Amino acid sequence: MNLKADDITTSSVVLNWTKPNGQSSHYRIEYEYKNETTENTSIKINDLIPGTQYTFRVFAVAADHVTEGRSDQISLYT
């Protein structure tokens, strides 16, 4: 999915990726025991703790809202 991080600040990050092959209804972003979802191929994550390392994992979710593809991940510091 070519996951990339842009606009990294002390409290937020914008994640971008390319749509994987096949059909997906949305994407699930997992980090620090939290989950976010989006139908887009980018998302801004807010309320991060300054100076903290985060690992973000993005999963494509199928139309059944259960089946997930392999994740792509990126680690970074705020």
Side-chain angles (χ1 to χ4, degrees):
M1 289 193 290
N2 300 315
L3 179 59
K4 296 179 182 162
D6 295 315
D7 298 326
I8 301 167
T9 71
T10 57
S11 62
S12 68
V13 64
V14 175
L15 301 175
N16 297 292
W17 58 92
T18 55
K19 185 182 184 306
N21 294 331
Q23 297 294 324
S24 57
S25 68
H26 65 279
Y27 303 94
R28 182 173 68 87
I29 299 85
E30 176 184 278
Y31 64 101
E32 294 297 310
Y33 309 107
K34 296 180 184 175
N35 286 286
E36 304 279 346
T37 59
T38 182
E39 293 179 3
N40 303 314
T41 55
S42 68
I43 188 170
K44 183 174 184 179
I45 306 291
N46 295 301
D47 301 321
L48 301 176
I49 300 168
T52 302
Q53 182 178 18
Y54 288 92
T55 298
F56 297 94
R57 291 178 183 87
V58 177
F59 300 83
V61 182
D64 65 3
H65 300 285
V66 177
T67 306
E68 293 182 339
R70 283 192 341 209
S71 69
D72 198 357
Q73 73 179 40
I74 190 169
S75 294
L76 57 92
Y77 282 91
T78 53

